Amino acid sequence: MTGPHADESHDPSADGSAAPERAGASPVFRLGLAVVLVLVLVGSVVVTGVLLASRTSSATGGVPDRFGALLSGDNAVAAEREAVLSVATQFMLRVNTYGPDDLAEDGTMPDYRERVGELITPAFRADFEGQVGTAELTVAQAALGRDCEVYGAGVSGMDADSATALVAGAFVNSYPGSGKRSDERIETDPAPFRVRVMLVKVDGEWLVDDFAPVTGSGVTLDPSQAPDGTSQDPDDEGSGTGSGTGSGPTADTEDEQ
């Protein structure tokens, strides 16, 4: 271009010549953005639904209550697992802890029976009452004492009204010494145990309904039976005695505590 305006640059945007191009790109961009936002929203709804179902499956009430529990971090399933572990652990501690101090004048151990009875179902208590006499007799005749330690516990299965826990630990039997050690109590070697404890929910409370050894031989309330099934002499100071309710050194569980 020549003339007085030859040096003036031409801005296409000044006369609106680029407007059609922008107007054509804007709807496509908006449509794409809308699609992305819809996908994000759908994904959020799906994730929230999964969390609502998995983390509040044991929560009471309707969807609003469950959603509130999710937002507050109140994990009902975790709370139920903790309750199961607590009862299973306490059961093993109580059933394997007794001695001469528990004896009443009639040769029974009423306090021991009551401690254990608080954690078991009525049906299981009938079985327990039928076996505890053996332990009471040994305590009365041999002044046996037993102490227990739990190493760990975990839940291997659970639904709304039943659960299975694995509990591992060891117990130690003790007897009065003789001769120069008559003023001492002689302890046996620790007897490891690993037990599967079955629980049921009764009126909203977890109670032990049965238990069985996972490893080793029988678990009974007869302190004269060792974990390997051999009888033990109370005077054998260096050997582990008693089987008692118990079973193995470690608990291979899904949820270790």
Side-chain angles (χ1 to χ4, degrees), residues 22 36 72 75 86 89 113 183 227-228 236 240-241 249:
R22 290 183 181 179
V36 171
S72 65
N75 192 330
S86 177
T89 299
R113 291 177 183 240
D183 59 343
D228 61 0
D236 185 359
T241 79

Side-chain angles (χ1 to χ4, degrees), residues 2 5 51 81 83 144 164 189 195 205 209 215 227 231 243 254:
T2 60
H5 303 289
L51 291 175
R81 287 179 178 271
L144 174 138
T164 301
D189 292 334
V195 168
E205 182 180 7
D209 195 47
T215 57
S231 297
S243 82
E254 295 178 357

Side-chain angles (χ1 to χ4, degrees), residues 10 15 81 85 103 109 112 118 155 166 168 184 195 219 229 248:
H10 177 70
D15 57 8
R81 287 179 178 271
L85 290 175
L103 282 175
M109 299 189 294
Y112 170 71
E118 292 174 352
V155 175
L166 299 181
E184 302 178 19
V195 168
V219 174

Side-chain angles (χ1 to χ4, degrees), residues 9-164:
S9 59
H10 177 70
D11 185 358
S13 63
D15 57 8
S17 60
E21 182 180 352
R22 290 183 181 179
S26 182
V28 175
F29 173 76
R30 291 178 180 176
L31 179 61
L33 181 61
V35 170
V36 171
L37 291 175
V38 169
L39 291 177
V40 170
L41 179 62
V42 171
S44 299
V45 171
V46 171
V47 171
T48 301
V50 171
L51 291 175
L52 193 65
S54 63
R55 295 193 177 183
T56 64
S57 59
S58 298
T60 57
V63 172
D65 293 331
R66 292 173 140 221
F67 191 71
L70 179 63
L71 292 178
S72 65
D74 182 12
N75 192 330
V77 175
E80 292 294 326
R81 287 179 178 271
E82 289 299 322
V84 167
L85 290 175
S86 177
V87 173
T89 299
Q90 281 299 313
F91 169 73
M92 291 308 302
L93 288 171
R94 294 186 187 188
V95 83
N96 280 302
T97 303
Y98 56 84
D101 291 342
D102 291 311
L103 282 175
E105 293 182 359
D106 61 357
T108 63
M109 299 189 294
D111 291 341
Y112 170 71
R113 291 177 183 240
E114 185 62 27
R115 290 195 301 268
V116 177
E118 292 174 352
L119 300 176
I120 60 181
T121 62
F124 185 39
R125 183 157 190 168
D127 294 337
F128 170 74
E129 295 284 352
Q131 297 182 48
V132 71
T134 303
E136 292 172 335
L137 184 62
T138 307
V139 173
Q141 292 183 346
L144 174 138
R146 174 172 291 182
D147 291 305
C148 177
E149 180 181 0
V150 168
Y151 300 148
V155 175
S156 61
M158 186 177 72
D159 56 31
D161 56 6
S162 65
T164 301

